[in-house]
Amino acid sequence: MKINKYPDKNTWSELIKRPVLKREKLTEIIFDIFKNVEENGDQALIDFNKKFDNAEVKNIQVSEEEIENAESIISDELKLAIQQAKDNITKFHASQIVEIEKIETTKGVVCWRENRAIEKVGIYIPGGTAPLFSTVLMLAIPAQLAGCKEIILCTPPDKNGNINPAILYTAKLCGVTKIFKTGGAQAIAAMTFGTESIPKVYKIFGPGNQYVVAAKEYCQKFGVAIDMPAGPSEVLVIADENAIPEFCAADLLSQTEHGSDSQVIFISTNEKIFNQTIKETENQLKELPRNELAKESLKNSHFILLSTIDEALEFSNLYAPEHLILALEDFEKYIPKIQNAGSVFLGNYSCESAGDYASGTNHTLPTNGFAKNYSGVSLDSFVKKITFQNLSEEGLQNLGETIEIMAEAEGLFAHKNAVTIRLNKENERI
Amino acid sequence: MKINKYPDKNTWSELIKRPVLKREKLTEIIFDIFKNVEENGDQALIDFNKKFDNAEVKNIQVSEEEIENAESIISDELKLAIQQAKDNITKFHASQIVEIEKIETTKGVVCWRENRAIEKVGIYIPGGTAPLFSTVLMLAIPAQLAGCKEIILCTPPDKNGNINPAILYTAKLCGVTKIFKTGGAQAIAAMTFGTESIPKVYKIFGPGNQYVVAAKEYCQKFGVAIDMPAGPSEVLVIADENAIPEFCAADLLSQTEHGSDSQVIFISTNEKIFNQTIKETENQLKELPRNELAKESLKNSHFILLSTIDEALEFSNLYAPEHLILALEDFEKYIPKIQNAGSVFLGNYSCESAGDYASGTNHTLPTNGFAKNYSGVSLDSFVKKITFQNLSEEGLQNLGETIEIMAEAEGLFAHKNAVTIRLNKENERI
């Protein structure tokens, strides 16, 4: 860990730097994978399963039987936990549904917006050691609430050609329509072009390794939308004299176990809390099972001592963290000062894991500084907002001249004529 | 124009095809322009002004004096028209401001979202024959409403080094903070990297030619967000037996004058209206000043006769038009069937130009089929929605076990520990 006591503001631009991701070499690999999947469909996916995941898979699509089996494997305890998380996530995302509000901007001119679900969406869930069924909740629940007709899920199989039962169980529970055994860039390619088994989708969601990230960047060239650009996960904790060092340390460490490139920043205005948190972090680290990743990631972490909370927030807004924890007594008064952040956790009992799993907010958030210009996933991510307008004859009378003058000033005479021809028709009748 | 009477559904996939945009050759040009601007800043922009716009410009930034002059040049008539449009656009976009709603998902667990403006945004306005001051309204008004601190505008100068006064006047009126004389890909590069004069921005909005479109695609590699991917403008009109052929023809032609690659589709279920609209289109075309572009674009237009309005809407949803005009008597009942469209105009008096200029809706809309997965520009385009959560001690008691179980099932033990350590602390005290 890097300790910085009262660093000069000139050095902040160094402190907020993320690790640079080198992606140049990936371009060709991704291009080849996309070409292969576009040309060979399911067979390409079966071959990639063998090559990358060492798995023999006959049917790319998960069968009903496999899903039923998964249900019988999952413990009742885990089912109850998933259900409580689902209820909260549903409640929070359902609150984002907006009533249609018709606005009469000028007498006889009525404008409004209506949501329409994106018809076909794809969810990518990474494989590896952690079976991220929580991400299934975070993406499938708003997709179903939005009314997406086709909600497909791709995830790589294990060596035996199976998918983790918690992922299957959660997917079924949240209305995923089809599940496929394919991972990596090839899964993104399959959802981009469609194959014999996998339907083409209009938008792709979900986290992944560098190949998946590069593939999600590339798939946009084919008209597919994505949730947001990606980078390693990160947390910034701001602690005052009333913060509890054990809690702060636990929050920092929970971020580090995501991967060796995870970013962790701790800021305090109180030197005692600052030193105790450093000590606590070192102590708790020893107890952790996923110790190696955490150790690696802690090396790049910054522990920063600053003079005031206002300064800490200034730093945080520059950094634009994915997760921001305010371990502050009077957090309320600092909320208006937060400008750039993905999700904010307030007070000593709002740990990041609450939002990661079960409080109701979405855990798919902008990283890598993208909290400056992107929002996290919400119900809005699964809909288009279509504008509607209805002008009565009176409405066009009231607005027509304005349109004519503006269209003429822009030199667009056919635009003007579309109004003139209507106004003349009215006058004829009068 | 291409006439299709009762085309077989098998042929629809041909009919909905857009002209293919060839962009491969642009990659190198864009790369070089970005590199030049990154390295040479303002000087590169001054050189490009000379090279591409044949303009000698000493100061890239428009002066206060130039803006004041513009105000004195604009006619009072145009000022009044711009003001009415501004009022309507403001009214409609202000209605999109959502009140903060705190949701208690579990007792003691409170979650909500708050909007924060994207701090720095850039607006690109193309040069050329049509001075698109209406686009300034559509982008600067929601930016100002959202609370963006820095709203800059780039647009190419004319041969005398000047900017159209209507653009300057509108920009000033709508709170644009700085205006710069630079166009094309180099303007996008300048807003991406920043130069001596031009501030770096977090998100870039606005239309442009193929170079601008390619530059907006490229700038995302540097962490800049854009409004949406682009393509030629398009309209689809559906007309029943009560439609008025002169109106339909005028709407179709107003689309064609945007450019030779504009897309126009007319669908009717009534053969008389169908034939009359074709005739009217040919007649009105002759009267148009921007005749050449319209003629060219009409060549690729489709006039399609179908049996039912339901079929017409099925076709429209497949095509996903930027603008959809329902010249139907009973349009109300068809609204729920609209799935993919940018903006919808209802009835015989809701011409597209109303939305283009002054009704209040935004005219920056998804084209090229992107209405399947993107929304048009709205207030949301200028904000990030940050999620907040506050768990009381009781809240964590109520949710803690669920988080612990889920974190453990995902193998994320530090995530679990962040809860356990807090629950233990509570128990100690009790």
Side-chain angles (χ1 to χ4, degrees), chain A residues 77-233:
Chain A
E77 191 188 39
L78 182 54
K79 280 182 189 164
L80 274 174
I82 289 174
Q83 189 59 48
Q84 189 184 18
K86 179 173 186 267
D87 291 345
N88 285 351
I89 297 164
T90 301
K91 210 181 281 179
F92 186 61
H93 288 76
S95 79
Q96 295 162 12
I97 298 170
V98 178
E99 293 277 310
I100 294 171
E101 192 191 355
K102 296 194 175 180
I103 307 291
E104 190 167 42
T105 55
T106 289
K107 195 150 172 30
V109 179
V110 181
C111 305
W112 69 97
R113 297 196 296 171
E114 293 190 21
N115 282 2
R116 292 292 185 275
I118 297 175
E119 287 174 284
K120 299 171 188 186
V121 298
I123 297 173
Y124 182 76
I125 301 293
T129 47
L132 299 180
F133 61 87
S134 62
T135 304
V136 181
L137 289 167
M138 295 296 173
L139 298 175
I141 290 173
Q144 198 181 24
L145 272 174
C148 302
K149 276 184 209 154
E150 185 93 81
I151 307 169
I152 68 169
L153 187 152
C154 291
T155 189
D158 65 18
K159 281 176 191 165
N160 304 313
N162 297 322
I163 307 291
N164 183 288
I167 289 177
L168 295 183
Y169 172 76
T170 310
K172 170 89 184 287
L173 185 72
C174 300
V176 169
T177 49
K178 285 169 188 163
I179 308 169
F180 300 99
K181 297 174 182 177
T182 175
Q186 59 272 24
I188 307 302
M191 294 193 276
T192 300
F193 300 123
T195 68
E196 300 92 318
S197 313
I198 303 184
K200 177 181 161 53
V201 303
Y202 300 148
K203 191 168 183 177
I204 297 175
F205 296 79
N209 61 21
Q210 55 175 340
Y211 295 96
V212 172
V213 168
K216 281 175 68 186
E217 200 179 301
Y218 188 60
C219 77
Q220 297 177 77
K221 285 200 189 293
F222 303 94
V224 179
I226 64 165
D227 44 4
M228 70 191 81
S233 193

Side-chain angles (χ1 to χ4, degrees), chain A residues 84 105 116 134 202 251 254 257 338 340 343-344 348 350 359 373 384 387 389 391 402 410 415 422, chain B residues 84 105 116 134 202 251 254 257 338 340 343-344 348 350 359 373 384 387 389 391 402 410 415 422:
Chain A
Q84 189 184 18
T105 55
R116 292 292 185 275
S134 62
Y202 300 148
D251 289 337
S254 77
E257 76 178 333
I338 298 168
N340 301 315
S343 193
V344 185
N348 287 328
S350 304
S359 64
N373 40 14
K384 300 102 49 183
T387 49
Q389 61 200 284
L391 281 76
T402 281
E410 287 194 352
H415 281 68
R422 283 170 164 94
Chain B
Q84 190 183 20
T105 53
R116 291 291 184 277
S134 61
Y202 300 148
D251 290 335
S254 78
E257 77 179 332
I338 297 167
N340 301 315
S343 194
V344 185
N348 286 330
S350 304
S359 64
N373 40 13
K384 300 102 49 182
T387 49
Q389 61 201 284
L391 281 77
T402 281
E410 288 194 352
H415 281 69
R422 284 170 163 94

Side-chain angles (χ1 to χ4, degrees), chain A residues 34-103:
Chain A
F34 269 64
K35 207 175 155 203
N36 194 339
V37 172
E38 189 178 15
E39 284 170 6
N40 303 310
D42 283 350
Q43 190 55 50
L45 304 179
I46 288 168
D47 294 346
F48 281 126
N49 275 341
K50 225 177 283 176
K51 187 174 168 191
F52 294 136
D53 300 300
N54 202 15
E56 288 279 356
V57 167
K58 272 187 200 159
N59 291 314
I60 288 291
Q61 185 170 353
V62 174
S63 69
E64 275 304 313
E65 204 193 331
E66 287 173 282
I67 297 170
E68 275 163 33
N69 280 346
E71 199 173 340
S72 67
I73 294 168
I74 302 293
S75 72
D76 286 344
E77 191 188 39
L78 182 54
K79 280 182 189 164
L80 274 174
I82 289 174
Q83 189 59 48
Q84 189 184 18
K86 179 173 186 267
D87 291 345
N88 285 351
I89 297 164
T90 301
K91 210 181 281 179
F92 186 61
H93 288 76
S95 79
Q96 295 162 12
I97 298 170
V98 178
E99 293 277 310
I100 294 171
E101 192 191 355
K102 296 194 175 180
I103 307 291

Side-chain angles (χ1 to χ4, degrees), chain B residues 32-203:
Chain B
D32 288 344
I33 290 176
F34 269 63
K35 208 176 153 204
N36 194 338
V37 172
E38 189 178 15
E39 285 170 5
N40 303 311
D42 282 351
Q43 190 54 51
L45 304 178
I46 288 168
D47 294 345
F48 280 126
N49 275 341
K50 224 176 284 177
K51 187 174 169 189
F52 293 136
D53 301 299
N54 203 15
E56 289 278 356
V57 168
K58 271 187 200 159
N59 291 315
I60 288 290
Q61 184 169 352
V62 174
S63 68
E64 274 305 313
E65 203 192 331
E66 287 174 281
I67 297 170
E68 275 164 34
N69 280 346
E71 200 174 337
S72 67
I73 295 168
I74 303 292
S75 73
D76 286 343
E77 191 188 39
L78 183 53
K79 279 182 190 167
L80 274 173
I82 290 174
Q83 190 59 48
Q84 190 183 20
K86 180 173 186 269
D87 291 345
N88 286 351
I89 297 164
T90 301
K91 211 181 279 180
F92 186 61
H93 287 76
S95 79
Q96 295 162 12
I97 298 171
V98 178
E99 292 278 308
I100 295 171
E101 191 191 356
K102 296 193 175 182
I103 307 291
E104 189 166 42
T105 53
T106 289
K107 196 152 172 26
V109 180
V110 180
C111 305
W112 70 96
R113 296 196 297 173
E114 293 189 21
N115 282 2
R116 291 291 184 277
I118 297 175
E119 287 173 284
K120 299 171 189 186
V121 298
I123 297 173
Y124 182 76
I125 300 293
T129 46
L132 299 180
F133 61 87
S134 61
T135 305
V136 181
L137 289 167
M138 295 295 174
L139 298 175
I141 290 174
Q144 199 182 23
L145 272 174
C148 302
K149 276 183 210 155
E150 185 93 81
I151 307 169
I152 68 169
L153 187 153
C154 291
T155 189
D158 65 17
K159 280 176 194 165
N160 304 314
N162 297 324
I163 306 291
N164 183 288
I167 289 178
L168 295 183
Y169 172 76
T170 311
K172 170 88 185 288
L173 185 71
C174 301
V176 168
T177 49
K178 285 169 188 162
I179 307 170
F180 300 98
K181 297 175 182 176
T182 175
Q186 58 273 23
I188 308 301
M191 293 193 275
T192 300
F193 300 123
T195 68
E196 300 92 317
S197 313
I198 303 184
K200 175 183 162 52
V201 301
Y202 300 148
K203 191 167 183 177

Side-chain angles (χ1 to χ4, degrees), chain A residues 403-404 406-418, chain B residues 129-132 134 254-259 288-290 293 353 356-357:
Chain A
I403 304 168
E404 289 179 309
M406 290 176 74
E408 186 167 340
E410 287 194 352
L412 294 174
F413 295 97
H415 281 68
K416 180 185 178 187
N417 191 47
Chain B
T129 46
L132 299 180
S134 61
S254 78
Q255 192 57 47
T256 61
E257 77 179 332
H258 277 300
L288 269 191
R290 271 195 164 199
L293 285 178
S353 356
D356 287 341
Y357 288 108

